[in-house]
Amino acid sequence: MKAVILAGGFGSRLSEETTLRPKPMVEIGGRPILWHIMNIYAVHGVTEFIIALGHKGEVVKDYFLNFHAINSDISIDLSTGQTTIHDIGNQHHWKVHLVDTGLSTQTGGRLKRLREWLAKDETFMFTYGDGVADLDITALLEFHRAHGKLATVTTVRSPARFGRLVLEEGKVVEFHEKPEASEGWINGGFFVLNRKAVDYVDGDETIWERDAVERLAHDGQLMGYRHYGFWSCMDTIKEKNMLEELWASDKAPWKIWR
């Protein structure tokens, strides 16, 4: 199974960190938050990733091109230029596809551009490159397969600045993107999708949360998986510092791998 991760936005609300790198490459505990997200999937056996690049995509490419060397001991013979990488046993058995999806493409448009990377009727994971959770990916997938709809969104509790969902017996009957004043179950990312859900995206200008997801909900094709545990995005420097403090204190709830 593949996981698609959006990593192409400008991260304007975190401009202190994103001038020189895309937001998914902002580090928590010395590792990009993108790495943290990938580990959440990998511990449940999802180890093939399609990363949707845009703003500063070359930074993401450089990180993965040098991943093996960065995470191993190396010896360099300066007289010949020969380099030896010493595997210290902590390498990840992941396959990573890095795909340019345009500089200003919207969230839905980025997913649409990846359509050919997905097989017909394939089920795949889909999330944002700035949110972490102590989420049971296996249980999420089982929930999705049991209801038979095209899409599942992981719903979490959070303040009203995020999109609000109304659920009835697990089915998402309303999807409101960022209401001004309300609290309740909101879009936490970590979607499970059938490739047919991508057909709800019209083109590059389609905003996944505002257009495609609302249409899926209207058609009765969107279900909500309630996650009662930890979840946080990294939209602001305050949130970034909070995640950093949790990691430094060895109390990061999303670290479900060992």
Side-chain angles (χ1 to χ4, degrees):
M1 177 165 290
K2 303 182 185 76
V4 172
I5 304 177
L6 296 179
F10 287 94
S12 56
R13 283 180 290 194
L14 196 62
S15 57
E16 303 94 329
E17 295 279 352
T18 56
T19 302
L20 299 176
R21 55 186 170 180
K23 184 162 62 167
M25 294 304 294
V26 173
E27 294 183 351
I28 302 297
R31 301 269 196 159
I33 193 170
L34 177 60
W35 175 87
H36 292 259
I37 296 166
M38 294 166 78
N39 267 291
I40 294 170
Y41 284 112
V43 77
H44 289 277
V46 180
T47 57
E48 184 171 358
F49 302 94
I50 306 174
I51 313 299
L53 304 179
H55 172 65
K56 302 291 184 182
E58 67 278 4
V59 177
V60 184
K61 288 183 178 180
D62 184 68
Y63 175 75
F64 285 107
L65 282 170
N66 294 289
F67 188 90
H68 193 72
I70 290 171
N71 292 281
S72 298
D73 295 334
I74 61 175
S75 298
I76 305 171
D77 187 333
L78 297 182
S79 65
T80 65
Q82 181 178 349
T83 301
T84 303
I85 298 176
H86 307 281
D87 192 339
I88 57 176
N90 64 349
Q91 297 299 335
H92 303 329
H93 299 286
W94 299 350
K95 180 180 289 186
V96 184
H97 309 283
L98 304 169
V99 185
D100 182 7
T101 55
L103 184 61
S104 301
T105 311
Q106 296 290 348
T107 50
R110 294 191 190 281
L111 179 58
K112 186 81 169 184
R113 288 197 180 200
L114 298 176
R115 194 173 186 274
E116 299 309 313
W117 289 80
L118 303 163
K120 183 178 180 181
D121 291 328
E122 180 175 356
T123 296
F124 65 98
M125 304 287 178
F126 174 54
T127 198
Y128 309 103
D130 64 354
V132 290
D134 57 346
L135 179 64
D136 187 336
I137 296 293
T138 300
L140 169 63
L141 180 58
E142 290 174 351
F143 174 85
H144 175 81
R145 286 175 169 162
H147 63 62
K149 305 297 184 181
L150 293 181
T152 296
V153 57
T154 296
T155 65
V156 297
R157 294 276 193 181
S158 199
R161 67 188 183 89
F162 298 99
R164 180 174 59 86
L165 300 95
V166 178
L167 298 108
E168 293 180 1
E169 298 182 350
K171 181 182 291 186
V172 179
V173 294
E174 294 182 35
F175 190 102
H176 304 284
E177 174 62 7
K178 300 182 181 178
E180 292 184 0
S182 66
E183 290 186 2
W185 292 99
I186 60 98
N187 168 20
F190 293 98
F191 291 85
V192 186
L193 304 176
N194 182 281
R195 186 179 180 234
K196 291 178 181 177
V198 183
D199 294 337
Y200 281 76
V201 177
D202 294 325
D204 281 358
E205 300 304 314
T206 301
I207 298 172
W208 172 251
E209 309 79 12
R210 188 174 301 161
D211 302 319
V213 173
E214 290 181 359
R215 289 166 57 197
L216 281 162
H218 181 268
D219 289 353
Q221 289 295 329
L222 179 65
M223 301 292 284
Y225 177 80
R226 299 189 191 219
H227 175 60
Y228 294 90
F230 176 87
W231 173 88
S232 179
C233 66
M234 191 185 64
D235 257 353
T236 65
I237 195 67
K238 180 180 179 180
E239 290 164 342
K240 190 265 185 189
N241 290 339
M242 180 269 292
L243 294 175
E244 188 73 64
E245 289 170 7
L246 285 171
W247 186 266
S249 64
D250 200 27
K251 296 179 180 178
W254 70 91
K255 187 181 179 183
I256 55 179
W257 62 94
R258 289 294 182 267

